[in-house]
Structure formats: C-alpha cells, structure tokens
C-alpha cells in the first residue's frame, strides 16, 4: 500500500488508538488537539499501540517502526491536515463541536481529503452541514480499542458522495479493518444497538436475581460470544436449524423464541440501582484487579483472537473456500 498522510484530530483515548493503528501500517500520522501540549504528550500512547501490534504479529515490524518514527504533533490544525488522505476526527461527542471541527478541517484540508468522525452515534448529516465539500465527509465509528478490534462502521450522511464511501472502505480495509456500511441515520449505528439490547437483558438478569454479574459475563464469553467471534448471529442460527437452515430455525423455534421475547426487559431508562448492583458484582468478578490490569488482559486476549482469526482466514482463502470470518 502506498503510504499516506493521516491526521488524527483529538488526542484522547480513541485518537491514540487510531493513531497507533495507522502508524503500525507505516502511514505518516499527525496528531492535533486544542489543549496545549496534549497531542505531543499523546504520541507515546500511539507509539505503544503500534509497537504492541507489531510485537503480537498483527503488523509488520518494518513499516510499524517507520510509522512510529514519523508520528508528529504539528502546532496548528492547518499544518496537521496539509496533504492528508484522511482526517480522523476524535473530539468529544457533541454535535455542535464536531460540526465546527468539520468546518475548520474541511477549509484547511485539500479537496480530496476524506474527513471521518469517530462519533459513537451522532448524526453525520448534522455534523457535515457546515463542511466545505461535504461530499467527502462521513462517519467511521470504531469499536474500542480501534487498533485491536477490526470493526469500523461507515455511515454516509445525506451529503456524502458514494465515491467517498468507497474510498473510505478501501482505506480502512488496508489497515486491517472490517468495514460495514450503515444505511440511514440511526442512533448507535449497528453494533452498539445490538450491544445495548443485550446489555439491557444482562442487567435485568442480575436485577431479578436469575444470575450473578460474573455468571452473566461467563455465559456470554464461553457461549454466544465465542460463536459470534467466528460467525454472526444470523449465520450461527442458519447452522442451528437442521437441513433447511435458517428457515428450519425460524419455523421450528418460533414458539420458544417468541415466549422468550415476551419475557425480555423493555425499560428505556436505567433502573436507579443499576450502577451499584453492577459495581458490586464486578468487584467479586475481578478480585480487586485494577482497570489498567484488566485493560492489559483484554488487549492480550483480543490480540490472540484477532491473530487466530486472521490465520483462519488465510487458510480459508488458500483453500479457495468462502471466507466467513
Ligand atoms: N471511548 C470509546 O470507547 C469510544 C469508542 C468509539 C468511538 N468513540 C468516539 O471517539 C470520540 C472521542 O472520544 P474519546 O473517548 O477519545 O474522548 P476524549 O475525551 O478522551 O478525547 C477528546 C480529545 O479531544 C480534544 N478536543 C476537544 N475539542 C477539540 C477541538 N476543537 N480540536 C481538537 N481537539 C479537541 C480534547 O482536548 C481531548 O483530548 C467521540 O466521538 C467518541 O464517541 C469513543
């Protein structure tokens, strides 16, 4: 892949992880933040993320070292976005702020630069309104942490040019991402909507005393979560319906599934005891480990799973079989 210049605007957690990913693939990454010195201070975290990917076999060491060496924090937004192929916006999740940042970035960046928001679910149509050439703007929502979780949800706004969406799909795929397209301005895009539905039920199972926090987590981790890392929910159920696949699954299990659906939680505001209940359960589950320890354990496990799935994918492609991973 040709090396590109990519600017990451906003030097918080998401920005550091994105910057690390782009650098790991050898791109020249420039970071910018309105807080004095924040972008420069955050270069260390981006370099650590890139090194982690190379050390775990998820990026080539040569390009990663080249990318790390070129990480920089120019003093102005104009200097950061000059000559860029992509600007990945990672500022706090407020429409007015993101709309203003898109306007500023679009005025300073070359005409062909793609401008993508990392927003966790704000309307891209609202964010792109004041941008110069809004056709090259879109949402590219990562899953935390972006340098390790392959999913990126691409959401075009009403003003997004279809060609820009295709360019974005290609660019993200080249840094190991698995892009999906979100059609329509829906809160939470695809993955967070499903996560919210599952989490509500997970909370309810704890609140009603059916299971502990630890057992709910375990049930997902060693059951559906493991299968979902390999195939999505539709494909998994296709394999659980006998010889007629998903048709068999829907027709044979209608009564059972509908019985469950009628019993599921439907609340739309968090019950007042939620945080305390979960905090108590998590204390028991984690045995006093710090957040930093848990984060490191998560990242090691994620790296191992992603590496295994990549190996599997190569095997599938080598065999000429359809790739399902
Ligand atoms: N945290 C997550 O798990 C996660 C996951 C996916 C997407 N996101 C999205 O990523 C974005 C950033 O989230 P975060 O958790 O990294 O936030 P954060 O608060 O950690 O960092 C935001 C940074 O933006 C900077 N900033 C504020 N205004 C700015 C401006 N005008 N120009 C340049 N920099 C500016 C702040 O100084 C800060 O350093 C949000 O849109 C969020 O929804 C977050």
């Amino acid at each position: 892949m040709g090396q590109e210049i990519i600017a990451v605007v906003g030097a918080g957690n998401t920005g550091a992880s994105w910057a690390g990913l782009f650098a790991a693939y050898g791109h020249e990454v420039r970071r910018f933040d309105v807080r004095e010195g924040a972008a420069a201070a955050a270069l260390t975290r981006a370099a650590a993320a890139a090194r982690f990917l190379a050390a775990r076999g998820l990026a080539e060491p040569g390009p990663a070292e080249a990318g790390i060496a070129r990480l920089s924090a120019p003093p102005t937004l104009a200097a950061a976005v000059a000559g860029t192929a992509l600007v990945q916006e990672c500022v706090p999740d407020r429409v007015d702020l993101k709309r203003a940042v898109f306007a500023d970035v679009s005025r300073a960046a070359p005409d062909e630069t793609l401008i993508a928001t990392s927003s966790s679910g704000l309307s891209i149509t609202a964010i792109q309104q004041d941008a110069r050439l809004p056709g090259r703007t879109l949402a590219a929502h990562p899953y935390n942490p972006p340098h390790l979780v392959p999913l990126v949800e691409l959401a075009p706004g009403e003003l997004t040019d279809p060609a820009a969406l295709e360019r974005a799909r290609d660019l993200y795929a080249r840094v190991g991402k698995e892009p999906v397209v979100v059609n329509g301005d829906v809160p939470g895009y695809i993955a967070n909507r499903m996560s919210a539905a599952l989490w509500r039920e997970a909370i309810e199972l704890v609140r009603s005393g059916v299971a502990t926090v630890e057992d709910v987590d375990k049930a997902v981790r060693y059951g559906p979560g493991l299968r979902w890392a390999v195939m999505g929910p539709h494909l998994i159920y296709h394999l659980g319906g006998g010889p007629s696949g998903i048709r068999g699954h829907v027709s044979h299990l209608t009564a059972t599934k509908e019985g469950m659906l009628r019993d599921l939680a439907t609340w739309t505001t968090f019950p007042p005891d939620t945080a305390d209940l979960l905090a108590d359960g998590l204390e028991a589950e984690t045995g006093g480990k710090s957040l930093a320890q848990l984060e490191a354990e998560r990242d090691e496990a994620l790296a191992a799973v992603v590496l295994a799935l990549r190996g599997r994918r190569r095997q599938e492609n080598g065999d000429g079989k359809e790739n399902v991973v």
Side-chain angles (χ1 to χ4, degrees):
M1 165 187 197
Q3 303 314 326
E4 313 270 16
I5 303 173
I6 297 175
V8 178
V9 175
N13 293 331
T14 308
S17 185
W18 267 125
L21 177 73
F22 295 134
Y25 280 79
H27 295 298
E28 176 181 342
V29 182
R30 302 183 192 145
R31 308 204 59 191
F32 179 77
D33 198 289
V34 280
R35 276 187 298 128
E36 181 98 17
L43 292 181
T44 319
R45 275 193 292 151
R51 284 211 177 89
F52 182 85
L53 291 176
R56 299 299 178 278
L58 291 168
E60 297 291 330
E65 279 311 318
I68 290 166
R70 292 197 293 172
L71 273 165
S72 70
T76 62
L77 180 67
V81 304
T84 47
L86 169 70
V87 175
Q88 187 75 41
E89 171 271 298
C90 302
V91 305
D93 230 17
R94 288 195 346 247
V95 172
D96 57 337
L97 176 63
K98 287 184 184 285
R99 190 169 168 162
V101 169
F102 264 48
D104 290 347
V105 168
S106 65
R107 274 196 300 275
D111 290 358
E112 59 279 10
T113 303
L114 290 169
I115 305 171
T117 177
S118 301
S119 173
S120 300
L122 297 176
S123 162
I124 174 60
T125 297
I127 293 170
Q128 69 186 177
Q129 286 307 314
D130 299 332
R132 184 179 75 84
L133 305 174
R136 44 58 185 272
T137 68
L138 75 163
H141 173 241
Y143 233 53
N144 196 38
H147 67 289
L148 281 170
V149 180
L151 177 66
V152 62
E153 298 181 305
L154 303 182
E158 279 171 15
L159 302 175
T160 304
D161 180 348
L165 178 64
E166 286 317 305
R167 271 205 296 139
R169 197 204 291 264
D170 181 57
L171 197 153
Y172 289 110
R174 289 185 197 197
V175 291
K177 295 305 250 182
E178 293 287 344
V180 297
V181 176
V182 186
N183 296 308
D185 248 339
V186 289
Y189 305 129
I190 303 169
N192 273 339
R193 290 178 77 89
M194 293 190 286
S195 293
L198 179 73
W199 198 34
R200 175 167 60 187
E201 187 53 31
I203 292 169
E204 198 55 31
L205 286 167
V206 176
R207 289 188 74 238
S208 57
V210 171
T212 60
V213 165
E214 185 171 3
D215 277 352
V216 168
D217 279 0
K218 217 167 157 182
V220 173
R221 183 176 173 186
Y222 293 109
L226 192 60
R227 296 200 308 198
W228 289 333
V230 178
M231 295 178 181
H234 296 308
L235 193 44
I236 281 291
Y237 280 157
H238 187 44
L239 300 182
S244 51
I246 195 65
R247 292 180 194 285
H249 197 101
V250 173
S251 64
H252 297 155
L253 294 173
T254 302
T256 316
K257 298 265 171 183
E258 287 180 356
M260 285 181 226
L261 289 174
R262 280 192 293 275
D263 198 53
L264 293 178
T266 54
W267 43 259
T268 53
T269 51
F270 281 95
D273 57 347
T274 302
D276 290 339
L277 197 65
L278 296 185
D280 288 348
L282 285 168
E283 208 171 300
E285 181 178 350
T286 60
K289 284 183 189 168
S290 69
L291 287 177
Q293 266 176 297
L294 291 166
E295 203 170 276
E297 283 178 18
R298 177 201 64 189
D299 288 359
E300 289 293 353
L302 276 173
V305 173
V306 174
L307 194 65
L309 292 177
R310 276 197 193 173
R312 180 86 197 117
R313 166 177 239 175
R314 272 195 291 273
Q315 247 180 9
E316 299 265 350
N317 288 342
D319 291 340
K321 289 182 190 158
E322 192 184 349
N323 169 36
V324 291
V325 177

